[in-house]
Amino acid sequence: MTITDRRKFILEQTRIHPVPHAPSISLHLADESVDLWRMGEEELEELGIPSPFWAFAWAGGQALARYILDNPEVVQGKRILDFASGSGLVAIAAMKAGAASAIAADIDTFASDAALINAAQNHVTIKVTAEDLLESKLDGYDLICCGDVFYDPDMTSKVLSWLDANQRAEPIPVLVGDPQRSYFPTSRLKHLQTYEIPVQRELEDNETKKTSVYAFV
């Protein structure tokens, strides 16, 4: 069986929770009360569902959301790209802080639907795209936000090459939120703020994660 109604699946397999480090925003997230919480990779594959990163509030995204809400001048009146957006948390935070527009970009179409559902939950309007932006040049944005993107060597290499290429073409400011996962690049990043982010022990093997926001330079 393959899931054909993504929106219905998302609504059935999530519950509305305030984001721990940005409680003014609520998201549809997986928890112990839904089947999605217990599904393994094989079961997800049978249903045609990629790993549901959109169903969790990851530390990097929470840090970026908090930073944006606390420093609204960073996004006010600007066109924001929330890259590898998952739940759409950062795009939603940007709109709540006064951005002119925000696009949640994620190659997972379930993430696109989840981001739109979450935006409506928070009474903001965003756009989504499932285009693989790593294969394209960027224009039309004033700020790129990247949360939790340095989780494996291949993704890290692709993201850094993409950001470098776009910086050479037409520099666009980049904010990065990351708890310094295994492949976190130690260079090219200027530290801006560090938070202790509440996270789910089942995902992060801890109840909090020290997570920082950086500017890509």
Side-chain angles (χ1 to χ4, degrees):
M1 181 181 73
T2 300
I3 299 296
T4 57
D5 189 336
R6 296 190 301 268
R7 180 182 177 85
K8 180 181 178 183
F9 177 83
I10 291 164
L11 292 173
E12 288 179 347
Q13 292 296 325
T14 57
R15 299 291 181 265
I16 298 171
H17 293 280
V19 174
H21 211 61
S24 63
I25 298 174
S26 294
L27 300 177
H28 289 258
L29 302 173
D31 63 24
E32 296 92 334
S33 71
V34 298
D35 293 337
L36 182 61
W37 182 268
R38 296 177 291 276
M39 288 183 186
E41 289 187 10
E42 289 186 6
E43 189 172 359
L44 289 168
E45 188 174 337
E46 288 177 3
L47 295 172
I49 303 169
S51 295
F53 297 121
W54 50 265
F56 304 95
W58 299 93
Q62 288 197 58
L64 281 170
R66 182 72 269 157
Y67 184 81
I68 287 168
L69 293 171
D70 289 345
N71 301 276
E73 68 279 0
V74 171
V75 299
Q76 281 177 345
K78 296 180 180 179
R79 301 163 296 174
I80 310 302
L81 174 64
D82 178 7
F83 173 74
S85 56
S87 66
L89 170 58
V90 177
I92 292 165
M95 293 305 296
K96 289 178 75 72
S101 63
I103 294 183
D106 200 299
I107 59 173
D108 181 359
T109 51
F110 281 87
S112 296
D113 287 341
L116 291 174
I117 291 169
N118 287 327
Q121 170 66 30
N122 290 277
H123 310 292
V124 298
T125 299
I126 66 171
K127 294 182 179 180
V128 299
T129 180
E131 179 186 356
D132 185 356
L133 297 183
L134 293 177
E135 303 297 328
S136 65
K137 292 183 178 180
L138 291 181
D139 55 33
Y141 301 107
D142 302 308
L143 177 67
I144 302 169
C145 296
C146 302
D148 300 287
V149 297
F150 302 121
Y151 53 83
D152 75 28
D154 185 51
M155 182 67 168
T156 297
S157 176
K158 287 181 178 179
V159 170
L160 291 176
S161 295
W162 173 68
L163 290 176
D164 277 332
N166 281 286
Q167 295 302 89
R168 288 194 297 270
E170 183 177 347
I172 302 171
V174 178
L175 289 180
V176 171
D178 202 277
Q180 296 199 14
R181 301 188 188 282
S182 299
Y183 301 97
F184 178 77
T186 55
S187 62
R188 305 295 308 278
L189 297 172
K190 176 185 176 182
H191 177 265
L192 298 176
Q193 185 71 50
T194 297
Y195 305 97
E196 286 287 343
I197 304 291
V199 293
Q200 292 162 312
R201 180 177 289 277
E202 294 84 355
L203 298 176
E204 301 281 13
D205 297 323
N206 213 328
E207 294 181 353
T208 63
K209 198 85 172 176
K210 184 173 288 188
T211 306
S212 297
V213 173
Y214 307 85
F216 184 78
V217 294

